[in-house]
Amino acid sequence: MTKFKKIIYILTVILMTQMFISKIHAKSTKDASFNVLVLNSYHQGHYWESNIAMGLKNYISNNNEPNINFKVEYLDFRVNHDKEYIKSLKDMLSKKYPKGSIDLIYAVNDESYEVFKKEVKNINSNFYKLPLLFSGVDNNLEETNKEKENMTGVYHRDDTLDLMILMQDLTPKVRYINIITEESGYGYSIYKEVTRIVDRYLKDQVKIRHIKSNYLEDITKELSEIKNSESTINIIGGEFQCKNLGKYKTPIEVINTIKNYSSAPIYSNDQTYMNAGILGGSIDIGQEQGSIIGEMIIKLKNGEKIENIKSVPEPKVKSYVDYNSIYEYNINPFSVIKDVVVLNKDPFELLIPTWMKGVLIFLQIISIIIIIGIIIIFIRFRNDKLKRIEIQKRAKEREKLKSDFIVNLSHELRTPINIILGTTKVLEKSLEKGNLDKDYILSKLENVDKNAYRLLKISNNIIDMTKAESGMLKLNLENCNIVCVVEDIFESSIDFARRKNIDMVFDTECEEVKVAIDIFQIQRVILNLLSNAIKFTPENGVISVYIYKEKENVVIEVKDNGVGISKEKVDYIFHRFYQVDNLYTRHNEGSGIGLCIVKEIIDIHDGKIQIESEINKGSTFKICLPRHLKVNEMQNEGSSIKDINKIVDLEMSDVY
Ligand code: ADP
């Protein structure tokens, strides 16, 4: 082979390979997309056609078919349906979709089917021999197989009979039927079908009137001329425009307007009106038909022959009623048979007559009242029980406190009595032995004296407590300088504190605060607090007394850094007989009634006593006394030291 021939050979091979590749490419591009021309008979937004489109779109996307292209056209046959319009449409579509650009035609509804079933048979048409799918088309049994060649789809089932059965169930007394439709093939078919059924089953019983127009104004005008009767019903189908605006009214607007002119129940087999406030109907669901068409399109795209895909009737219609309309039109709810779907009914609502609903509501109210009554009785019973338990608990506590008190008291009484008896015995023995040492005898007598005071303190406390309980504790009020009263008592207690090596500090904000008090009782109060502080503060502790004025009160604080009292026990500290430690665990003497009397005395002075305490840190008792003065009263500077010593000896008699 010459060099030139070789080059020619290589070029030819490259050229052929190129052509082969582009052929495959061209084929695959064509294979990849499948163009479906969707011919809607009516306008964009037509309810039933939109529902079909929705079902179709969902089916295609659920089946993952991205390469199917839908070229959607709205032929608007409702506006115009004459020969000239149809011809211009055909011309326009031929120009828009040249031969080979479309793989399949889908005619939605009769009108577009009627036109394009001729086109696919027309040898001069761009759409010649294209497979044709249809839906919503009446099954014309007269069409020959030849005529039906290359076509398949979903036939419209005659759902008028179902509608008439529903109508007979719900409104059996019907004598007049107003058929309200748009002026179109669809509207006429509704009229035709209803008339056929009436002629067949209800001849001479029911009269039909066809009210047809594309404009709502015409419909209402005609309706207003008809006398409303109880035995009338309306059947509606199609869509209606407003004459002035030329705009389609929404289904709800249409129904509401009709209701203004006719009180008769409205039925419809048109899915458009399903939730627009009509009584009910028997409908085929557009979405279901869309799915069937979708399945057929995919089969055709995948190479299946159209003659192998059989035409099917549309899925069985479903009868439905609107729950609210049943009551609006006074329909007997029991006339709704089992298979009928009830729309707009909440799950807890019952399909029963209104009077029955009233009885049910009444029964519900009664049962709610009974339940509330039972709950109230139960709560009362429970509260009473809790109260009884609380009272019993308190009574038990009181009993326990009382018996503890008696045990303490007998211990308290026995100790000084034993000491007194013991000491007198010792003195007797000493005298028998002739031991007449004066200091020795005096110290023994002092011991007898102290314990006799202790007995006196106990008996005084018991008497005062009983007096306080019966409201007999009376005050002998005198105007005096309370700072002096407190300071005197404080100084007399220092000796007792010193025995335990406890530091005593006195401080006051002002030297003189005049108030009307029962000096003796206030002395007892301060002494009681100080004796407790000394008793419950360990060696080397500090006890301080601080006096200051508030707007209306004088405040006396007695503070120690002793054992303190736990939070739970602080609340009981002023109760009668209460002692934080019981007889067997306590380290100090006492009957447990001191603070109770302190509180009673402060209360009858119209004052307040509070305590702040923390375990192992100490306690602070705060007394607030109102700065009242007794009128026409000479000022008293406080009791004499002699008096005080007696009281101090008495109150401190249990401090060791
Ligand atoms: P008692 O005569 O037994 O002291 P009180 O009524 O005066 O009775 O006191 C009741 C109890 O309160 C005491 O037994 C003690 O447990 C507790 N208490 C009172 N004052 C103090 C204090 N300053 N520090 C710790 N505990 C105290």
Side-chain angles (χ1 to χ4, degrees), residues 250-261 266 276-277 328:
T250 65
I252 293 179
E253 283 169 348
V254 170
I255 297 302
N256 284 343
T257 314
I258 289 178
K259 279 181 180 175
N260 289 337
Y261 293 88
I266 308 170
E328 184 184 336

Side-chain angles (χ1 to χ4, degrees), residues 474-479 516-521 605 630:
K474 292 275 176 299
L475 295 182
N476 180 21
L477 290 179
E478 297 172 55
N479 291 340
I517 52 167
D518 183 324
I519 298 171
F520 171 68
Q521 298 295 4
H605 272 89
K630 216 177 153 191

Side-chain angles (χ1 to χ4, degrees), residues 130-145:
L130 275 181
L132 176 72
L133 289 184
F134 55 80
S135 65
V137 168
D138 288 336
N139 191 357
N140 190 346
L141 298 170
E142 280 150 29
E143 277 180 355
T144 61
N145 278 350

Side-chain angles (χ1 to χ4, degrees), residues 71-277:
K71 317 278 182 192
V72 185
E73 296 294 338
Y74 299 93
L75 307 187
D76 244 343
F77 282 129
R78 195 176 278 160
V79 178
N80 207 335
H81 201 240
D82 60 23
K83 268 186 188 164
E84 224 170 280
Y85 175 69
I86 294 172
K87 190 180 169 305
S88 68
L89 262 181
K90 281 187 202 168
D91 288 349
M92 185 272 286
L93 290 172
S94 297
K95 286 212 175 88
K96 197 168 172 187
Y97 303 106
K99 225 178 183 125
S101 63
I102 296 296
D103 297 293
L104 169 71
I105 298 179
Y106 166 36
V108 190
N109 268 335
D110 297 281
E111 282 95 332
S112 57
Y113 169 73
E114 289 302 329
V115 173
F116 279 84
K117 77 176 182 188
K118 288 174 198 150
E119 279 305 282
V120 294
K121 302 272 182 223
N122 178 0
I123 195 157
N124 298 320
S125 165
N126 278 0
F127 307 114
Y128 180 57
K129 279 217 161 153
L130 275 181
L132 176 72
L133 289 184
F134 55 80
S135 65
V137 168
D138 288 336
N139 191 357
N140 190 346
L141 298 170
E142 280 150 29
E143 277 180 355
T144 61
N145 278 350
K146 180 93 185 118
E147 278 168 334
K148 285 179 185 166
E149 201 185 8
N150 233 15
M151 299 175 200
T152 192
V154 184
Y155 281 116
H156 176 57
R157 193 194 281 270
D158 185 2
D159 46 19
T160 313
L161 186 60
D162 297 87
L163 176 76
M164 300 302 271
I165 292 170
L166 180 74
M167 178 198 82
Q168 279 289 299
D169 286 341
L170 301 183
T171 41
K173 288 182 192 155
V174 60
R175 293 291 167 265
Y176 303 97
I177 299 177
N178 298 327
I179 301 174
I180 304 165
T181 69
E182 61 183 27
E183 202 159 4
S184 70
Y186 169 60
Y188 185 66
S189 74
I190 296 174
Y191 169 71
K192 216 173 65 185
E193 283 175 23
V194 175
T195 315
R196 189 173 56 81
I197 306 272
V198 167
D199 282 350
R200 188 147 174 208
Y201 300 103
L202 301 163
K203 209 172 166 72
D204 302 330
Q205 291 177 41
V206 172
K207 277 199 177 121
I208 294 175
R209 183 181 188 130
H210 192 185
I211 304 171
K212 54 182 185 302
S213 172
N214 288 336
Y215 300 104
L216 200 53
E217 289 88 339
D218 295 340
I219 302 287
T220 52
K221 187 169 174 279
E222 213 171 322
L223 275 175
S224 61
E225 284 161 8
I226 303 170
K227 226 180 104 209
N228 265 318
S229 130
E230 265 191 20
S231 49
T232 306
I233 63 142
N234 296 315
I235 295 176
I236 191 169
E239 292 180 21
F240 303 90
Q241 297 175 49
C242 174
K243 241 180 200 168
N244 303 336
L245 304 171
K247 232 175 75 188
Y248 280 98
K249 289 270 183 186
T250 65
I252 293 179
E253 283 169 348
V254 170
I255 297 302
N256 284 343
T257 314
I258 289 178
K259 279 181 180 175
N260 289 337
Y261 293 88
S262 165
S263 57
I266 308 170
Y267 291 87
S268 181
N269 270 9
D270 194 333
Q271 193 184 350
T272 314
Y273 294 101
M274 199 164 160
N275 270 308

Side-chain angles (χ1 to χ4, degrees), residues 341-356:
V341 180
V342 181
L343 298 180
N344 301 320
K345 185 176 93 62
D346 286 338
F348 54 85
E349 278 174 328
L350 296 173
L351 192 60
I352 51 171
T354 318
W355 67 266
M356 247 187 215

Side-chain angles (χ1 to χ4, degrees), residues 562-573:
V563 295
I565 305 158
S566 66
K567 272 204 175 75
E568 323 72 82
K569 291 178 175 167
V570 150
D571 295 337
Y572 301 99
I573 207 91

Side-chain angles (χ1 to χ4, degrees), residues 408 412 457 461 528-537 558-566 569 572-582 586 588-598 611 613 618-621 654:
N408 279 342
E412 278 292 297
K457 177 182 175 179
N461 276 351
N528 200 300
L529 296 184
L530 285 175
S531 75
N532 274 346
I534 297 169
K535 273 198 267 178
F536 298 103
T537 301
V558 178
K559 189 173 176 179
D560 66 61
N561 61 354
V563 295
I565 305 158
S566 66
K569 291 178 175 167
Y572 301 99
I573 207 91
F574 298 108
H575 285 195
R576 274 188 308 159
F577 317 138
Y578 188 82
Q579 286 186 317
V580 174
D581 296 316
N582 65 35
R586 69 199 169 102
N588 292 292
E589 304 298 329
S591 55
I593 48 177
L595 284 179
C596 171
I597 294 169
V598 163
I611 171 173
S613 189
S619 316
T620 306
F621 287 83
D654 55 359

